Amino acid sequence: MMTLKTVLFGGVCAAALLAFSIAAEAKRARCFTSDDGYFPCSYRAIDDAGSFRISAPGYPTYVLEIDGPGFAYGYVNLGRRNIPLPGQFVRSRDDGACWNNPQTNTKLCAW
């Protein structure tokens, strides 16, 4: 017979396993932004949809959250909070590692 304690423990373990599988380990990458140029960075996937975060010492942290296939919204962290980037990012047809924002004419890439 299962006790409430056993059921709760199983649920906590399942939730921890799911969170661990979604939060991928940061990987070294080469990044590019229209504002910052090329720089070595850390790339971290943040969900199963393809959203990601890039960061590097001395540079802002950028987050792209996938809104649908080929479309994303961006944020930049300049210290204590995320600031939404204007417009929508579209995945580049020429290089799948790059995202373009046609409204602001900006680009963000991570290889």
Side-chain angles (χ1 to χ4, degrees), residues 24-33 38-46 51-64 108-111:
E25 186 175 320
K27 298 177 183 176
R28 283 194 229 176
R30 183 172 183 226
C31 291
F32 172 85
T33 67
Y38 291 92
F39 57 97
C41 65
S42 177
Y43 172 94
R44 180 182 297 263
I46 55 176
S51 302
F52 64 91
R53 173 182 302 120
I54 60 170
S55 59
Y59 294 90
T61 296
Y62 294 93
V63 175
L64 277 189
L108 186 145
C109 304
W111 299 275

Side-chain angles (χ1 to χ4, degrees), residues 1-13:
M1 181 170 159
M2 295 181 99
T3 65
L4 180 59
K5 189 176 186 179
T6 303
V7 171
L8 288 175
F9 179 73
V12 168
C13 288

Side-chain angles (χ1 to χ4, degrees), residues 1-110:
M1 181 170 159
M2 295 181 99
T3 65
L4 180 59
K5 189 176 186 179
T6 303
V7 171
L8 288 175
F9 179 73
V12 168
C13 288
L17 184 60
L18 178 64
F20 180 73
S21 68
I22 290 174
E25 186 175 320
K27 298 177 183 176
R28 283 194 229 176
R30 183 172 183 226
C31 291
F32 172 85
T33 67
S34 298
D35 290 340
D36 303 305
Y38 291 92
F39 57 97
C41 65
S42 177
Y43 172 94
R44 180 182 297 263
I46 55 176
D47 66 20
D48 288 340
S51 302
F52 64 91
R53 173 182 302 120
I54 60 170
S55 59
Y59 294 90
T61 296
Y62 294 93
V63 175
L64 277 189
E65 291 187 11
I66 305 303
D67 188 43
F71 297 95
Y73 288 95
Y75 302 88
V76 62
N77 187 294
L78 299 171
R80 295 181 167 228
R81 64 186 183 126
N82 287 331
I83 300 166
L85 296 171
Q88 186 177 49
F89 285 80
V90 179
R91 186 169 226 151
S92 171
R93 291 182 184 175
D94 298 331
D95 186 343
C98 294
W99 293 80
N100 303 308
N101 185 324
Q103 293 174 291
T104 60
N105 203 27
T106 57
K107 185 176 192 176
L108 186 145
C109 304

